[in-house]
Amino acid sequence: MKRMSGSIFYLHLLLSCFVIFTLLLNAVHASKKCYIVYLGAHSHGPNPSSVDLQTATHSHYDLLGSILGSHEKAKEAIIYSYNKHVNGFAASLEEEEAAVIAKNPNVVSVFLSKEHKLHTTRSWEFLGLQRNGINSAWQRGRFGENTIIGNIDTGVWPESKSFTDQGLGPVPAKWRGGNVCQIRGLNKVPCNRKLIGARFFNKAYEAFNGQLPRSQQTARDFVGHGTHTLSTAGGNFVPGASVFGNGNGTAKGGSPRARVAAYKACWSLTDAASCFGADVLAAIDQAISDGVDIISVSVGGRTSLSAEEIFTDEVSIGAFHALGKNVLVVASAGNDGPTPGTVINVAPWLFTIAASTLDRDFSSTLTFGNNQQITGASLFVNIPPNQSFSLILSTDAKFGNATNRDARLCKAGTLDPRKVKGKIVSCIREGKIKSVAEGNEALSAGAMGMILGNQKQNGNTLLAEPHVLSTVNYPPGHKKTTPGFLISATDDTINSNTTIRMSSARTLLGRKPAPVMASFSSRGPNKIQPSILKPDVTAPGVNILASYSLFASASNLPSDTRRGFPFNVMQGTSMSCPHVAGIAGLIKTLHPDWSPAAIKSAIMTTASTRDNTNRTIRDAFDKKLANPFAYGSGHVQPNPAIDPGLVYDLSLVDYLNFLCASGYDQQLISALNFNKSFICSGSHTITDLNYPSITLPNLGLKAVTVTRTVTNVGPPSTYSAKAQLPGYTIAVVPNSLTFTKIGEKKTFRIVVQATSVTKRGNYNFGELLWTNGKHNVRSPITVRRI
């Protein structure tokens, strides 16, 4: 527990510094600004003693005091003394004072510390939610009040401010999890009226890996992933959220007044993907039993491409049984894009979430020796922004026995410190959602920084990550391609005979276009059930800032000693999944009796296929538009989702009939019906499952009729249909539906027919839209002629 106590002390120190920072700024004269005075390296080395730290701080007082006239004035002016690894200080100074100190021969640089306003997580503003809005989904859904969200992940850091229970009433009576809180608190049991339960499931993991130490037999989060996802779904409003000092904003979840429960089923301290299916299924089972309303599960895996997978996959099985308790399971689509057919968690009773960008960038500009500039993604730059460094390509910096491919990716042990030391090294990103290992190799070889180029598969998706050294991920570019790689910028720009400068990292808002699909987001078509479009929707999943474990290092690398981060930036469909769980929580609060299918339909049919420039959502690759295999029904919109007008509802019997039509074994289907016999009967077809999207993967020349039923959830109204599908004839019968009361159901048919000129083998995309002038209920149509 010593280590965790130290981490919490560090958190207190950070908060204290923020308070001091605020007080000092309020006290200074308006003409003064915050400057950073950078002095290079410390003489005390990488492992300073407490005396070393004091000596460094006093040297800062001496230097500034020589300008301001006294030690006392220097102490008043200094906001931070960087006395550990970075040598320098931040101080409130007049422009003239900064100019004088910049002339000192011991000063490397003096520069303004700009205000970076993060707006954390910006994703909720981007999705249209405002805390003080008048009629947004937050207000209408009462901020998710008393909805219970269960999260299956790496556990939770319970002391995070995202999970304090201030202002919350008693635990809802529907909670059946009792007072089980399998976390050893630092002073007391850490669960409360917000974090109402915490359990861990590790038997399968231990069976393969041996028994975990007793200190790890806990639902406490040691890697940060679970804390991040749970706070995104249901975390409180937490002001003052930032990472590496880059900005300052308010963190919050989609349902900030929801109650949350953590179910730890992932165990590796360095690999968040280490989740054993049996543990995951046990967690889902427990969550259902505990009375959660929504389960967010940012895990998944594929063992086969057979249709049997929906019954051999633990998430699919658990989600199916959640239906019986009216529990919606929201799952990530996977991070294996952009390869087609890679989407996972594809069962029709799962809500499958893709990942896309938002309108915020963490950014740094690279300036090369020829003055060409490239802007990329960076979470922090802690080298002097006005100082040029020699650039070296990793292939020019490799050991003689390292292969060019390994060196290009800066794999461990490939870079020669004699060639790299003091330079910025250029590497190519290997990971789809994580590339911190490349930076670790660069740092180990003595690099001052790293620029990280994208491979072809990464497209324009740029990641701002908590690297161990100053790093900028730059976009693909212009001229040169090598097998499997795309080198960004021209040959005469990025080479080992030039210099480079990095600007300080900054936060940019209102970026356009947004959203753009993330290159890593797994894509359809659904190879397990081709007649069900997957993913279902897309949500923010790139450079997402949320709460984090104080125990975890910033990068999760074993060698990374930086700890005590209350927030961090992460990427992946793991991050987009809890966004949708949070939106579902709002709908559940407003409509507690809605089925999981109705909530899912509300979010799908109100999703948008347009970006913030009112054009079709783009893919991560130049001149390529995204399609439903990337974004499903579109990008989520909480405000219309809370009031969708019509929904496509489904019951357990509907899913069983779908399995009958799919040709699954009768005995197997009967076994799914909670010990009740179920006999396949009637003429059910796969395409008639009342799903909010329509997919026909094997259409011949003969016309096909698809049946759907909508339920009115709004005031009396008449809806008119509009349908379009390029290359096909399409009709909706009837094309007008009149509803007189809530809960009324109406059935209609869509007739689709290919023409003789319709191209075989390719998918075409269209849409069906029901509108009454206020509500737009949209369904994507995906068809392939065989």
Side-chain angles (χ1 to χ4, degrees):
M1 301 302 288
K2 269 183 165 177
R3 197 170 197 177
M4 285 184 283
S5 297
S7 296
I8 286 179
F9 171 76
Y10 181 58
L11 174 60
H12 290 163
L13 181 62
L14 286 176
L15 293 172
S16 299
C17 288
F18 176 73
V19 172
I20 293 169
F21 174 79
T22 305
L23 292 174
L24 284 170
L25 280 186
N26 289 338
V28 297
H29 191 271
S31 65
K32 292 190 176 184
K33 296 179 180 178
C34 181
Y35 287 86
I36 294 176
V37 180
Y38 176 63
L39 304 169
H42 283 290
S43 59
H44 56 52
N47 301 303
S49 66
S50 58
V51 174
D52 291 332
L53 301 181
Q54 290 177 7
T55 301
T57 297
H58 279 289
S59 72
H60 299 159
Y61 293 155
D62 288 339
L63 178 56
L64 187 56
S66 68
I67 304 298
L68 301 184
S70 70
H71 255 227
E72 288 68 28
K73 288 183 179 179
K75 284 183 180 181
E76 288 177 7
I78 286 182
I79 299 164
Y80 287 109
S81 171
Y82 304 119
N83 59 5
K84 299 174 182 66
H85 301 284
V86 177
N87 189 3
F89 55 88
S92 180
L93 301 171
E94 301 278 2
E95 184 178 355
E96 294 79 9
E97 294 166 340
V100 173
I101 200 168
K103 296 176 182 177
N104 188 297
N106 295 320
V107 172
V108 175
S109 60
V110 177
F111 50 96
L112 271 173
S113 175
K114 300 175 182 64
E115 181 182 11
H116 306 294
K117 198 170 184 181
L118 198 58
H119 293 281
T120 312
T121 65
R122 168 71 181 180
S123 48
W124 296 114
E125 282 80 5
F126 180 55
L127 294 176
L129 297 182
Q130 296 290 336
R131 185 174 188 177
N132 297 316
I134 297 173
N135 202 31
S136 80
W138 265 346
Q139 285 74 33
R140 298 190 67 181
R142 301 194 303 280
F143 299 92
E145 185 176 52
N146 290 341
T147 287
I148 302 173
I149 300 175
N151 190 48
I152 297 170
D153 213 296
T154 64
V156 63
W157 190 264
E159 292 81 13
S160 168
K161 289 190 174 183
S162 288
F163 310 121
T164 60
D165 63 0
Q166 184 176 357
L168 292 177
V171 173
K174 62 184 173 180
W175 174 247
R176 299 186 297 271
N179 297 317
V180 178
C181 188
Q182 295 176 328
I183 301 176
R184 295 177 185 89
L186 301 175
N187 298 307
K188 60 178 182 178
V189 176
C191 294
N192 54 32
R193 297 189 308 274
K194 175 71 174 180
L195 177 63
I196 59 178
R199 295 175 181 267
F200 65 86
F201 303 85
N202 63 358
K203 291 180 181 179
Y205 179 86
E206 288 190 329
F208 283 88
N209 296 279
Q211 190 169 4
L212 288 161
R214 190 167 186 273
S215 61
Q216 291 182 35
Q217 305 242 1
T218 172
R220 184 176 289 281
D221 181 12
F222 295 121
V223 297
H225 192 275
T227 304
H228 198 282
T229 53
L230 185 56
S231 67
T232 300
N236 298 323
F237 289 95
V238 183
S242 65
V243 61
F244 294 114
N246 189 17
N248 188 9
T250 298
K252 60 271 189 184
S255 285
R257 290 188 65 82
R259 312 305 174 103
V260 297
Y263 299 86
K264 183 175 180 177
C266 303
W267 290 95
S268 173
L269 294 181
T270 56
D271 179 11
S274 181
C275 318
F276 280 73
D279 292 332
V280 172
L281 186 56
I284 295 174
D285 198 30
Q286 183 65 54
I288 298 168
S289 175
D290 286 346
V292 304
D293 297 303
I294 294 155
I295 295 174
S296 180
V297 53
S298 293
V299 300
R302 170 163 289 165
T303 55
S304 71
L305 289 177
S306 76
E308 301 301 321
E309 182 182 306
I310 61 171
F311 297 118
T312 59
D313 176 77
E314 296 85 355
V315 175
S316 172
I317 293 167
F320 184 86
H321 290 283
L323 296 173
K325 287 291 187 180
N326 225 26
V327 177
L328 173 64
V329 179
V330 186
S332 48
N335 299 323
D336 293 317
T339 306
T342 51
V343 61
I344 60 172
N345 291 322
V346 296
W349 44 82
L350 278 166
F351 200 178
T352 312
I353 316 303
S356 43
T357 65
L358 59 153
D359 67 341
R360 176 192 65 198
D361 287 341
F362 298 110
S363 179
S364 173
T365 299
L366 302 173
T367 304
F368 295 89
N370 63 1
N371 287 324
Q372 182 172 343
Q373 292 188 325
I374 299 174
T375 298
S378 180
L379 204 51
F380 77 95
V381 172
N382 61 4
I383 57 177
N386 295 319
Q387 184 173 341
S388 294
F389 293 88
S390 296
L391 178 68
I392 187 166
L393 299 181
S394 56
T395 48
D396 291 334
K398 73 182 185 71
F399 283 111
N401 61 352
T403 67
N404 274 342
R405 181 176 180 84
D406 284 353
R408 191 176 283 118
L409 299 171
C410 290
K411 290 195 172 183
T414 57
L415 300 183
D416 187 343
R418 293 171 298 178
K419 302 174 183 177
V420 171
K421 188 174 182 180
K423 299 179 181 178
I424 290 178
V425 64
S426 174
C427 305
I428 297 297
R429 174 177 139 204
E430 182 176 26
K432 291 192 175 184
I433 63 167
K434 206 168 188 180
S435 56
V436 290
E438 291 91 318
N440 194 54
E441 171 63 10
L443 180 66
S444 299
M448 291 294 293
M450 175 178 70
I451 61 171
L452 200 58
N454 276 359
Q455 294 189 46
K456 282 183 178 179
Q457 66 180 11
N458 305 132
N460 295 312
T461 300
L462 300 180
L463 306 184
E465 298 182 81
H467 284 279
V468 293
L469 80 172
S470 299
T471 298
V472 179
N473 179 203
Y474 60 87
H478 311 297
K479 285 187 178 178
K480 179 183 173 186
T481 20
T482 57
F485 299 99
L486 182 62
I487 304 300
S488 169
T490 55
D491 292 346
D492 59 356
T493 297
I494 298 182
N495 57 66
S496 293
N497 298 310
T498 189
T499 59
I500 189 172
R501 300 195 309 272
M502 292 180 175
S503 74
S504 298
R506 59 199 184 276
T507 302
L508 305 176
L509 302 178
R511 308 302 285 166
K512 294 181 180 181
V516 174
M517 292 308 303
S519 59
F520 58 74
S521 187
S522 289
R523 311 300 168 101
N526 180 347
K527 290 191 174 181
I528 307 301
Q529 286 286 347
S531 61
I532 301 296
L533 177 66
K534 291 287 178 171
D536 290 309
V537 290
T538 188
V542 180
N543 300 331
I544 302 302
L545 198 154
S547 293
Y548 198 62
S549 166
L550 293 189
F551 181 90
S553 70
S555 65
N556 272 147
L557 291 170
S559 58
D560 189 355
T561 59
R562 302 169 302 167
R563 296 176 189 268
F565 289 85
F567 304 95
N568 205 353
V569 168
M570 302 181 79
Q571 13 265 325
T573 55
S574 282
M575 281 62 250
S576 55
C577 170
H579 276 89
V580 177
I583 296 168
L586 299 174
I587 299 173
K588 186 70 175 179
T589 294
L590 184 61
H591 305 289
D593 297 328
W594 279 18
S595 69
I599 295 172
K600 181 176 172 180
S601 173
I603 296 172
M604 289 176 66
T605 59
T606 57
S608 174
T609 60
R610 298 278 171 175
D611 62 24
N612 58 1
T613 69
N614 202 33
R615 296 179 179 176
T616 301
I617 293 173
R618 301 175 202 194
D619 211 334
F621 306 90
D622 287 338
K623 299 179 181 178
K624 183 178 179 183
L625 298 178
N627 62 41
F629 288 148
Y631 54 63
S633 293
H635 187 252
V636 293
Q637 298 190 108
N639 290 330
I642 202 93
D643 178 22
L646 304 174
V647 295
Y648 294 86
D649 209 353
L650 283 162
S651 68
L652 181 63
V653 170
D654 293 318
Y655 288 116
L656 293 173
N657 284 328
F658 169 79
L659 294 174
C660 292
S662 300
Y664 287 98
D665 180 75
Q666 166 73 63
Q667 185 176 351
L668 184 150
I669 296 171
S670 297
L672 295 175
N673 196 28
F674 297 97
N675 295 323
K676 297 177 184 177
S677 60
F678 182 86
I679 299 174
C680 293
S681 60
S683 56
H684 299 286
T685 63
I686 295 175
T687 54
D688 284 343
L689 180 71
N690 203 39
Y691 211 71
S693 58
I694 299 165
T695 306
L696 302 171
N698 299 301
L699 193 67
L701 279 176
K702 186 178 179 181
V704 171
T705 299
V706 177
T707 302
R708 289 290 188 272
T709 300
V710 285
T711 303
N712 183 47
V713 293
S717 186
T718 296
Y719 284 81
S720 300
K722 298 176 184 177
Q724 58 91 13
L725 181 63
Y728 295 81
T729 60
I730 185 168
V732 183
V733 182
N735 63 4
S736 178
L737 299 174
T738 298
F739 298 91
T740 59
K741 60 183 178 180
I742 289 179
E744 187 177 0
K745 296 178 183 291
K746 297 272 184 171
T747 298
F748 62 92
R749 301 184 308 280
I750 309 105
V751 183
V752 180
Q753 185 169 19
T755 67
S756 57
V757 297
T758 304
K759 192 173 181 181
R760 295 173 182 263
N762 291 346
Y763 278 94
N764 286 50
F765 305 100
E767 67 176 25
L768 165 66
L769 181 70
W770 287 102
T771 182
N772 65 351
K774 176 185 177 184
H775 300 98
N776 294 307
V777 185
R778 183 187 163 277
S779 295
I781 302 174
T782 304
V783 178
R784 180 181 64 173
R785 185 193 165 194
I786 57 171

